[in-house]
Amino acid sequence: MLEECVSVLGALECVVRRCLGPDGGSVLLTRDTGETLITRHGQRVLCALQLEHPVARMVLDCMCAHAKATGDGTKSFILLLAALLRGIQNSAHMHRKGSWTGPGLQNLANRLLAVSRKELDDAIIHKITPYVSLYCSHHSYKLEGCILDLLIGGYISGRVAIGQADILKRVLCEFYHKVCQDQDIIETISFIHSHFSLLHTPVTGLPVGASEVIEGLVVTRDWSVWTELQGPVKALILYESFGPSFVDNISVSIQQDWLHRTESIMKQKLLILLDLQVHVLLSSVKQPESVVQWARLNHIALLEFVDSAQLDFLSNISAAETLSHPPLQHLVKLKYCRSVLLGGHRYACLGTFSHTHTLVLCAPAPGLLDQTVCVSQGVFAMLQHLSRIHDSFNKQFQSSVLAADQSKSPSLDQSQSTLSTQDLWGGIMRAGGVLPVGGMFEFLLHDFLLNERNCGDPECCRLLAEALLCVPRALYSHNQRCFLNIQTSFLSDLKQSDRAKLQGSELPDLKFGLGFSEPPCLESVSGKQQLVVSVLQCLHRLLSVGAILHTRSPLRTGAQTHSDDDEEEEEATLSSQKPLKEQLHKPY
């Protein structure tokens, strides 16, 4: 089983290794239909492969679960998992551990998982966070005020081309700042992440540089009836048609009488709109032609076939007033209504008083546009994970301080100890929550696992420490000597800082061997920690599998009743299949 896992992860590693880091290239995927996809996004690449091998699918499920939680680390996930499996295989061959074929592998998996619960937490607290805080304090003049830009730049630099990364970083930062506008940062990020599908509009056929942020909510539909409107206006949201199919409580005796009464009821409802001073109709369905003509005559703007989810979103953010005249349901007040031209198509733009903005993402081809959208959405998933981890830590810290203070002064107001979320990014930097990209996390954790005397399982710590270097080694794969020089210089900086702290002398201007002259891109410490934990959890699942059985029929779960005919059919099917040994060694 170990050999098969190594083989499968080796194949996946070859795919994602080529598109790792800023110097990585894109992967071209083709289908039988002739459709092509060019992307550097790790999750997009692996999901597009349509993997069938059970080990590969298990790994993909674990990787997607990690990406959903943190929004980051999909390619590093595969590299680290493959390196761990190879390390276990090489160790077994070197020490001739034939017991690592069943219970021995499960025991090793349990021990490695235990490392993520103790040694990893100790490394974050006593090694990584202090050195990261030391680095940030020495370079605060470069980092203060641009933490968000450097975080977003670090995230997208390995997922899009260099020229596109600068443009996309600028647009995403602008979008965040316009949506935030001095509001609660954590709630703003969660709002953007949860409603990203409604807050962005993809436009194909334009260069990435045409991406922009537009004030208001862009609806990818053109106005059925358009009229220039000045100032705030009232808009009515419709989910049904004014047509006769929605008219209730009508006694149909004669067709002419039925049509007359239907028209009369429709006119009454339209008169209600005039009484309510409604100037905009937003409908999720097609309205009758008589309603369209009435809108033209009364200078009412009409927008049809609007997505119901978008109408619900507009109702929620605009505090809609609910009416008791179906299908007249929700009445909202809009700041303005406009018509915008994007990529040769004319769309509607609705201004809200909640300062809603729409992120317009452009790309020349559908595949590149899809990659841009995935990367942009992943940015806010990463920011949400980082902000929530830091906020949870702050709340725990504040509660402990508050409990200690209230024991001395019970009248202490809890609101006085609440930290302002406006200083979130600066607080994360000072607390050592972010660090430069390029291998700093891996180098620090590698040094801790090999040199810490209190490590409870030296063998597992050694396996993890050696596997960690696969990520920076792949980042500097264009020049192996460059990787060795960076690692040597980094270790020298560590010793220099340790020596300065012991002697009580002034700490030098540390670069930690990564050779940064400009403010480096940053990444989340909590995200890197979760990456190691997720990889070890996936490894535990893989090493707990004893054998892989290939079946032709769907697996049956739960209690089943079998007849004699079913048993005879199953025996005939099994006898016609290939030998089990041949199935287990089926090439991937």
Side-chain angles (χ1 to χ4, degrees), residues 154-265:
Y155 182 90
I156 66 179
S157 60
R159 291 168 172 82
V160 297
I162 296 177
Q164 299 169 357
D166 295 335
I167 297 172
L168 193 58
K169 180 180 71 171
R170 174 185 56 79
V171 175
L172 291 177
C173 290
E174 179 186 355
F175 177 65
Y176 163 79
H177 288 298
K178 286 188 175 181
V179 174
C180 186
Q181 292 188 352
D182 298 329
Q183 298 179 12
D184 186 278
I185 294 179
I186 299 176
E187 292 182 0
T188 299
I189 294 175
S190 179
F191 172 78
I192 295 176
H193 176 66
S194 302
H195 303 93
F196 186 82
S197 60
L198 302 171
L199 293 174
H200 87 279
T201 298
V203 178
T204 186
L206 294 178
V208 178
S211 301
E212 59 179 328
V213 179
I214 295 180
E215 182 181 1
L217 184 66
V218 174
V219 181
T220 54
R221 290 287 178 183
D222 194 10
W223 295 94
S224 302
V225 177
W226 170 243
T227 181
E228 292 289 343
L229 301 171
Q230 299 295 331
V233 293
K234 290 183 179 180
L236 184 70
I237 296 178
L238 300 172
Y239 295 94
E240 299 177 2
S241 171
F242 275 102
S245 59
F246 294 95
V247 179
D248 301 326
N249 301 324
I250 293 182
S251 176
V252 181
S253 56
I254 303 175
Q255 183 178 9
Q256 184 178 3
D257 180 60
W258 177 77
L259 292 175
H260 175 75
R261 298 192 60 182
T262 299
E263 184 179 359
S264 176
I265 292 176

Side-chain angles (χ1 to χ4, degrees), residues 213-415:
V213 179
I214 295 180
E215 182 181 1
L217 184 66
V218 174
V219 181
T220 54
R221 290 287 178 183
D222 194 10
W223 295 94
S224 302
V225 177
W226 170 243
T227 181
E228 292 289 343
L229 301 171
Q230 299 295 331
V233 293
K234 290 183 179 180
L236 184 70
I237 296 178
L238 300 172
Y239 295 94
E240 299 177 2
S241 171
F242 275 102
S245 59
F246 294 95
V247 179
D248 301 326
N249 301 324
I250 293 182
S251 176
V252 181
S253 56
I254 303 175
Q255 183 178 9
Q256 184 178 3
D257 180 60
W258 177 77
L259 292 175
H260 175 75
R261 298 192 60 182
T262 299
E263 184 179 359
S264 176
I265 292 176
M266 184 183 299
K267 289 181 178 180
Q268 293 178 6
K269 292 180 177 180
L270 294 176
L271 289 175
I272 295 176
L273 298 184
L274 297 179
D275 294 338
L276 293 173
Q277 297 181 349
V278 172
H279 292 86
V280 180
L281 291 180
L282 306 174
S283 174
S284 62
V285 297
K286 173 67 177 175
Q287 293 297 330
E289 185 61 29
S290 57
V291 175
V292 177
Q293 294 296 334
W294 174 86
R296 289 195 182 100
L297 293 174
N298 292 274
H299 304 287
I300 304 294
L302 173 62
L303 188 63
E304 300 174 299
F305 297 111
V306 184
D307 186 13
S308 298
Q310 216 164 14
L311 291 178
D312 294 338
F313 177 71
L314 180 62
S315 299
N316 293 332
I317 64 177
S318 302
E321 177 186 352
T322 303
L323 303 178
S324 58
H325 304 282
L328 314 181
Q329 296 186 10
H330 301 293
L331 186 66
V332 299
K333 195 171 183 180
L334 299 178
K335 192 175 181 180
Y336 57 81
C337 291
R338 296 175 183 170
S339 183
V340 296
L341 186 64
L342 299 174
H345 299 279
R346 194 172 297 279
Y347 298 141
C349 183
L350 309 176
T352 66
F353 288 93
S354 57
H355 304 291
T356 304
H357 289 74
T358 300
L359 177 65
V360 179
L361 297 173
C362 304
L368 185 57
L369 179 60
D370 184 60
Q371 172 182 272
T372 304
V373 172
C374 290
V375 171
S376 302
Q377 187 171 14
V379 164
F380 294 101
M382 177 270 296
L383 294 177
Q384 178 177 250
H385 179 263
L386 174 60
S387 60
R388 285 184 173 180
I389 291 294
H390 183 74
D391 183 57
S392 176
F393 173 79
N394 272 344
K395 287 180 178 178
Q396 294 177 3
F397 177 76
Q398 293 170 21
S399 61
S400 61
V401 173
L402 183 63
D405 290 341
Q406 284 184 341
S407 63
K408 301 177 182 178
S409 177
S411 61
L412 179 65
D413 186 7
Q414 185 174 357
S415 62

